[in-house]
Amino acid sequence: MIRTCVITGTTHGIGTVAAREIARAGYRVIMAVRDHARGQRLRDDIVDTTGNGEVSVVTLDLASLASVRDCAANVLAIAPNIHLLVNNAGMMSAKRELTIDGHELMFATNHLGPFLLTQSLLERIVASAPARIVNVASRAHFHGQFDFDDLTLARHFAGMAAYRRSKLANVLYTKALARRLEGSGVTVNCLHPGVVATNIIPANSPILSFFAPLAKKFMLSPDRGTRTLLSLALGTDAEDINGAYFNQDGKAVPASAAACDEALQERLWRLSAELTGAPLECR
Ligand SMILES: NC(=O)c1ccc[n+]([C@@H]2O[C@H](COP(=O)([O-])OP(=O)(O)OC[C@H]3O[C@@H](n4cnc5c(N)ncnc54)[C@H](OP(=O)(O)O)[C@@H]3O)[C@@H](O)[C@H]2O)c1
């Protein structure tokens, strides 16, 4: 039976490399992207370069809960099995923006959207076990903090702090989900890809955009920055590891104290279920 992968955010950066390599490994790949036309062009290119014709595109805007629900329904309609889910898409912004659902943009795109997508696909993933979920977090999570009284960051906004909070949420969610998946045959892990020369530098920051071309010369290439992701997705080393945080060299390392705080993990889980309407328990 052909194995199926769902991967988000393949139109740029790490996701482009990852989708191609997962297709090369023989998976049926469903790419969930915001820019459908660009996704189709990438799809054609991946089919040409890998010889794997089982690559398709679905539309997903993680900043809209309605779009995430539609995407999940579309994926469930075309994928009888899901053996690998890669939550890769993410973004950084220098400005405070709220989504159509009223959530802070980075918290919504980097955490709430992936949370809802994963929870919506989870039953299918568990039924397809052995299966894996890979969440692209960041070492930025080490400085992340939650103020549950100011979720939209109305009192104080700083772009980097908002991004760090969203990446802390990725690690907290990974650990809370791993606990629930124990014994199911499904593992979930997260990773820091390294500092990688991609489009992640916010275009709406004049200073960062100015320095980006120079800074990129000192960053990892997207090929190198995809190594840990691919090892977690396809490799055998981490096959039985569940709930861990991996660094850019593919090693499981301790996550931040906040990320390992079970009470915080559970509080974020309840909040995310409430804000997205996802079921509180997953199986
Ligand atoms: N690059 C680094 O140094 C670094 C370090 C640590 C962690 N990370 C993480 O690595 C992951 C991949 O980022 P990257 O570095 O490859 O950045 P990138 O080049 O900017 O690619 C990000 C991808 O996410 C997609 N995306 C953004 N917002 C979306 C939305 N609302 N709905 C659906 N897709 C959306 C983008 O789509 P569009 O093409 O439509 O914009 C793009 O395909 C992210 O989770 C990021 O936080 C990156």
Side-chain angles (χ1 to χ4, degrees), residues 90-113:
M91 55 84 62
M92 214 187 257
S93 173
K95 295 197 168 68
R96 178 175 179 267
E97 288 171 67
L98 298 185
T99 65
I100 192 165
D101 306 298
H103 305 305
E104 189 279 318
L105 181 62
M106 282 176 267
F107 183 57
T109 308
N110 298 350
H111 170 65
L112 290 177

Side-chain angles (χ1 to χ4, degrees), residues 11-241:
T11 43
H12 280 111
I14 293 165
T16 302
V17 179
R20 191 185 308 279
E21 293 312 312
I22 292 167
R24 207 188 302 282
Y27 275 74
R28 176 181 186 217
V29 178
I30 301 172
M31 303 191 295
V33 303
R34 161 165 81 163
D35 180 344
H36 198 90
R38 192 178 167 89
Q40 281 295 349
R41 288 197 295 279
L42 177 66
R43 181 241 164 234
D44 294 345
D45 188 55
I46 290 179
V47 170
D48 282 351
T49 52
T50 65
N52 181 348
E54 295 284 342
V55 182
S56 56
V57 182
V58 291
T59 303
L60 168 68
D61 180 358
L62 286 162
S64 154
L65 295 174
S67 171
V68 177
R69 280 187 207 101
D70 285 351
C71 174
N74 290 334
V75 168
L76 291 173
I78 60 173
N81 299 290
I82 302 171
H83 305 94
L84 175 61
L85 168 64
V86 182
N87 285 307
N88 162 73
M91 55 84 62
M92 214 187 257
S93 173
K95 295 197 168 68
R96 178 175 179 267
E97 288 171 67
L98 298 185
T99 65
I100 192 165
D101 306 298
H103 305 305
E104 189 279 318
L105 181 62
M106 282 176 267
F107 183 57
T109 308
N110 298 350
H111 170 65
L112 290 177
F115 174 88
L116 179 59
L117 182 68
T118 307
Q119 294 303 117
S120 306
L121 301 180
L122 205 57
E123 209 177 310
R124 186 71 49 90
I125 296 172
V126 170
S128 312
R132 303 179 190 188
I133 301 170
V134 178
N135 294 329
V136 181
S138 170
R139 79 173 175 215
H141 87 272
F142 276 98
H143 301 285
Q145 286 181 340
F146 265 96
D147 176 357
F148 285 90
D149 294 328
D150 187 20
L151 281 175
T152 63
L153 303 178
R155 280 203 289 270
H156 177 70
F157 178 86
M160 203 52 211
Y163 179 73
R164 287 169 177 154
R165 178 181 73 163
S166 72
K167 291 287 138 180
L168 172 59
N170 292 160
V171 189
L172 288 163
Y173 174 49
T174 300
K175 289 183 175 292
L177 181 57
R179 225 175 359 262
R180 289 161 170 85
L181 288 173
E182 255 337 304
S184 69
V186 181
T187 59
V188 56
N189 292 294
C190 62
L191 68 112
H192 170 62
V195 178
V196 188
T198 65
N199 281 0
I200 196 79
I201 296 169
N204 59 7
S205 162
I207 297 177
L208 292 179
S209 301
F210 179 77
F211 287 111
L214 177 65
K216 279 185 176 178
K217 292 191 198 307
F218 299 95
M219 295 179 184
L220 300 178
S221 68
D223 279 354
R224 170 63 183 85
T226 309
R227 209 178 280 174
T228 299
L229 187 166
L230 291 174
S231 141
L232 291 181
L234 304 174
T236 49
D237 287 359
E239 211 165 19
D240 300 321
I241 301 182

